[in-house]
Amino acid sequence: NLAMLYNNRLLMHQSALKLLNEHRFSETYREPWRWDYAMAQTQIYMHEQGKAMTLLDSIIRPENNISYDIYATRGYLHLSMQQLQPALRDLTQAKQLSLKNATDSTDYYRMAGNIAFIYAQTDDCANAVNTLNACIRFAETNNNDIDAAIYHRKRAKIYLACGNTAAATADYKT
C-alpha cells in the first residue's frame, strides 16, 4: 500500500515535470531560472539529487535576482548528501538573504538553527551553541514558544554531543 502511494506520487511529479516543460515560457515562468527552480524541487522530491543540484547550480548567477529559498534548497540538498561545508556556505548565504525585504526575521533564525546543526556535525560546539542562543532569544522575545522549544531541544542535543549533560538536561526541562 505504501509502495502504491509512493508510485502514485512519483507519477504525479512526473506529470508535473511534463506540465512545467510545456509551460516553460508562460507568464508565470517568464524568467527561465524560475522554471529551473520548480524543476529542481520536483527532482528533489523524485530523489534525483544530481539533476536537482545541476539545476540549482545553473540558477545561482549574479544576473538572477534570487531569494534566500534557492540557497536554502541547495543547502538542504548538500546537507542530505552529507556535504557539510557547501551546505554551511549556502545556508549562511540564505540566512543573510532572508533579511532582505523580510517583514520578520523568522526565516533568518530558522536558517541559523540549521547552521547550528552543521557546526555541531563539524565538532564546532561553541559556534553551534552560540548560534542557538541567538535563536532562542529571538523566539522568546517574539513569544514564539514552539520555536523556542525546538531551539532548546536542538541545543540540548548539541550539549549532549559535546559532553555537557548538565546543560542538556536543563534545556530538556525548558
Side-chain angles (χ1 to χ4, degrees):
N1 201 12
L2 189 58
M4 189 164 60
L5 178 66
Y6 177 77
N7 284 334
N8 286 341
R9 287 189 176 210
L10 190 60
L11 288 173
M12 192 171 67
H13 275 276
Q14 287 171 334
S15 296
L17 278 174
K18 183 179 177 191
L19 186 64
L20 281 170
N21 196 27
E22 291 170 3
H23 297 286
R24 182 173 187 167
F25 299 105
S26 72
E27 194 65 24
T28 306
Y29 296 105
R30 217 174 333 157
E31 299 169 288
W33 69 266
R34 293 185 187 281
W35 180 83
D36 289 340
Y37 182 54
M39 289 286 287
Q41 290 176 313
T42 302
Q43 297 293 353
I44 290 168
Y45 188 80
M46 294 173 59
H47 303 287
E48 296 182 359
Q49 285 96 341
K51 290 180 181 178
M53 189 64 76
T54 300
L55 285 168
L56 291 170
D57 287 344
S58 72
I59 293 169
I60 298 177
R61 293 188 306 255
E63 64 269 17
N64 294 338
N65 186 20
I66 60 174
S67 61
Y68 80 95
D69 53 339
I70 295 173
Y71 279 101
T73 301
R74 192 172 72 171
Y76 292 130
L77 186 56
H78 279 301
L79 198 55
S80 74
M81 299 166 74
Q82 297 300 308
Q83 299 170 347
L84 300 180
Q85 290 307 315
L88 180 61
R89 181 191 64 234
D90 281 347
L91 291 175
T92 300
Q93 182 65 31
K95 183 178 84 165
Q96 295 307 315
L97 287 173
S98 69
L99 290 177
K100 186 179 180 182
N101 300 325
T103 55
D104 66 49
S105 303
T106 304
D107 290 328
Y108 175 88
Y109 286 97
R110 288 197 177 133
M111 289 296 117
N114 290 304
I115 290 168
F117 171 77
I118 296 171
Y119 284 142
Q121 292 292 308
T122 58
D123 296 324
D124 189 350
C125 294
N127 271 330
V129 168
N130 288 336
T131 300
L132 286 170
N133 288 342
C135 294
I136 290 167
R137 279 192 304 277
F138 171 77
E140 289 174 347
T141 300
N142 289 288
N143 297 318
N144 188 334
D145 296 336
I146 293 171
D147 279 354
I150 290 168
Y151 296 136
H152 275 287
R153 298 302 177 268
K154 285 183 178 187
R155 190 173 67 182
K157 289 178 184 178
I158 290 170
Y159 278 138
L160 280 177
C162 297
N164 190 342
T165 53
T169 301
D171 264 347
Y172 278 125
K173 288 180 180 179
T174 304

